[in-house]
């Protein structure tokens, strides 16, 4: 790594299979000798930790990894990424079939198919080099090129707000993740929440839910005048909810859009929501701030 120029592009590889990680690293060294591979991580948790610590220019993320998937690691990196620093270009490493690869093409996400193929990887390298040149010329991140389509806004008051620094990068990441999540098999829609309360099961209509909040291994189901715990994760719950009605606004929060009263940005640029019939104020991750821009 000391053999590389201080201005050489820097990359992180996250792949749980050591042989495949080594093959990808060796192929990159052949095709892009100037690239400095600063870390190779065996799982998504380590990819998150090292990504934040090293702040590379490029992330090669395996889709399926223990601890956190590549999608989860990318999402958490986007939420925790320091302001003012360009977000890395992402290349997903996948063994998905041709149907899924077509979805990757539509999602404007670059990918490397396992096992590594020099022809495909060479095209990826060319695109990355072009994007890095564009970023250095002040054109910003080119991870995605289209603006995300927000869900229809509820009847809420949205305070005028200027785009925060790095909002284009956040928009690109939000679009990318939403498109890739759409590749996953659809889950059946929930009609009711069944929450255990002592020896009984409380039936909660989804229309009565104000927001869902992740609490360790549980989810707190918050209604206007009551709360209940269910033993599941937001990751498992989200695909079962109507995305037009329930919006994820943070890694640990899903809100009923019809319950939102206002979206307000404070002096530090942080966005939060007030609710119609509940005193809670909910923090919005920069990754989801595009949902609350003025029409």
């Amino acid at each position: 790594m000391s053999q590389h120029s201080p201005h050489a592009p820097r990359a992180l590889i996250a792949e749980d299979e050591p042989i495949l990680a080594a093959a990808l690293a060796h192929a990159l060294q052949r095709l892009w000798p100037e690239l400095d591979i600063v870390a190779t991580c065996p799982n998504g948790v380590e990819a998150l930790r090292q990504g934040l610590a090293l702040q590379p220019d490029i992330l090669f993320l395996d889709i399926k990894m223990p601890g956190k998937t590549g999608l989860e690691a990318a999402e958490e990196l986007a939420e925790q990424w320091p302001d003012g620093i360009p977000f890395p270009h992402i290349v997903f490493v996948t063994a998905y079939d041709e149907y899924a690869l077509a979805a990757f093409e539509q999602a404007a996400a670059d990918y490397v198919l396992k096992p590594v193929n020099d022809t495909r990887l060479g095209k990826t390298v060319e695109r990355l080099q072009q994007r890095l040149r564009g970023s250095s010329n002040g054109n910003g991140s080119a991870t995605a090129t289209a603006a995300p389509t927000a869900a229809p806004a509820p009847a809420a008051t949205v305070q005028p707000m200027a785009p925060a620094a790095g909002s284009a990068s956040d928009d690109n990441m939000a679009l990318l993740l939403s498109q890739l999540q759409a590749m996953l098999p659809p889950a059946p829609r929930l009609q009711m929440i069944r929450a255990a309360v002592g020896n009984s099961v409380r039936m909660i209509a989804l229309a009565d839910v104000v927001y869902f909040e992740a609490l360790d291994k549980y989810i707190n189901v918050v209604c206007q005048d009551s709360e209940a715990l269910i033993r599941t994760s937001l990751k498992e719950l989200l695909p079962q909810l109507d995305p037009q009605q329930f919006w994820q606004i943070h890694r640990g929060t899903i809100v009923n859009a019809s319950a939102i009263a206002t979206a307000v940005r404070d002096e530090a640029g942080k966005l939060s929501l007030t609710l119609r019939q509940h005193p809670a104020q909910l923090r919005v991750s920069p990754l989801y701030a595009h949902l609350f821009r003025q029409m």
Side-chain angles (χ1 to χ4, degrees):
M1 306 201 178
S2 59
Q3 300 174 354
H4 294 86
S5 161
H7 304 294
R10 303 160 70 246
L12 178 149
I13 295 174
E15 166 61 66
D16 63 314
E17 299 181 58
I19 294 176
L20 293 179
L24 176 57
H26 292 153
L28 286 168
Q29 289 169 357
R30 288 195 307 272
L31 297 169
W32 196 353
E34 299 81 16
L35 183 67
D36 186 3
I37 300 175
V38 295
T40 301
C41 303
N43 55 61
V45 175
E46 186 67 10
L48 174 61
R49 188 183 72 83
Q50 292 273 40
L52 290 172
L54 298 172
Q55 297 175 2
D57 303 297
I58 303 163
L59 298 168
F60 290 88
L61 299 176
D62 187 10
I63 289 286
K64 294 183 178 180
M65 290 187 290
K68 294 183 188 298
T69 68
L71 293 178
E72 290 169 338
E75 182 175 8
E76 293 190 35
L77 278 167
E79 287 188 352
Q80 299 179 42
W81 199 255
D83 293 339
I85 297 177
F87 192 76
H89 301 278
I90 293 181
V91 179
F92 287 103
V93 182
T94 178
Y96 282 1
D97 60 20
E98 292 182 4
Y99 173 80
L101 292 182
F104 269 89
E105 299 283 7
Q106 294 299 317
D110 220 329
Y111 66 90
V112 173
L113 185 62
K114 296 191 283 189
V116 176
N117 177 287
D118 275 13
T119 300
R120 169 64 201 171
L121 184 59
K123 294 178 181 178
T124 297
V125 165
E126 290 178 5
R127 276 193 288 268
L128 289 169
Q129 290 171 337
Q130 292 173 357
R131 291 170 182 173
L132 288 171
R133 284 195 292 269
S135 297
S136 65
N137 290 334
N139 295 331
S141 172
T143 301
T145 57
T149 302
T157 301
V158 180
Q159 298 291 333
M161 56 186 71
S167 61
S169 176
D170 293 331
D171 282 357
N172 291 339
M173 193 62 207
L175 173 65
L176 179 58
L177 289 172
S178 65
Q179 289 172 319
L180 293 175
Q181 290 290 358
M183 293 166 46
L184 302 177
R189 290 278 185 255
L190 276 180
Q191 301 299 321
M192 301 286 290
I193 298 292
R194 299 183 296 275
V197 180
N199 294 326
S200 63
V201 175
R202 179 183 168 196
M203 307 298 288
I204 304 173
L206 282 178
D208 294 334
V209 177
V210 178
Y211 65 95
F212 297 97
E213 178 185 28
L215 295 176
D216 199 10
K217 296 180 180 180
Y218 294 85
I219 291 177
N220 189 26
V221 183
V222 180
C223 300
Q224 180 180 340
D225 53 6
S226 63
E227 299 182 6
L229 292 176
I230 56 175
R231 190 178 176 86
T232 188
S233 67
L234 285 187
K235 177 184 174 183
E236 295 170 328
L237 176 66
L238 186 59
Q240 302 178 67
L241 300 174
D242 181 354
Q244 303 299 312
Q245 181 183 3
F246 288 94
W247 299 356
Q248 183 165 18
I249 59 167
H250 188 273
R251 181 161 41 93
T253 312
I254 298 171
V255 66
N256 188 334
S258 63
I260 300 170
T262 61
V264 183
R265 196 181 295 279
D266 63 19
E267 293 181 356
K270 304 296 183 182
L271 188 63
S272 62
L273 305 181
T274 62
L275 305 173
R276 294 185 183 283
Q277 296 179 318
H278 196 279
Q281 289 195 352
L282 305 180
R283 177 181 166 236
V284 179
S285 164
L287 194 58
Y288 304 102
H290 65 279
L291 293 171
F292 303 100
R293 297 223 177 98
Q294 289 178 313
M295 296 179 66

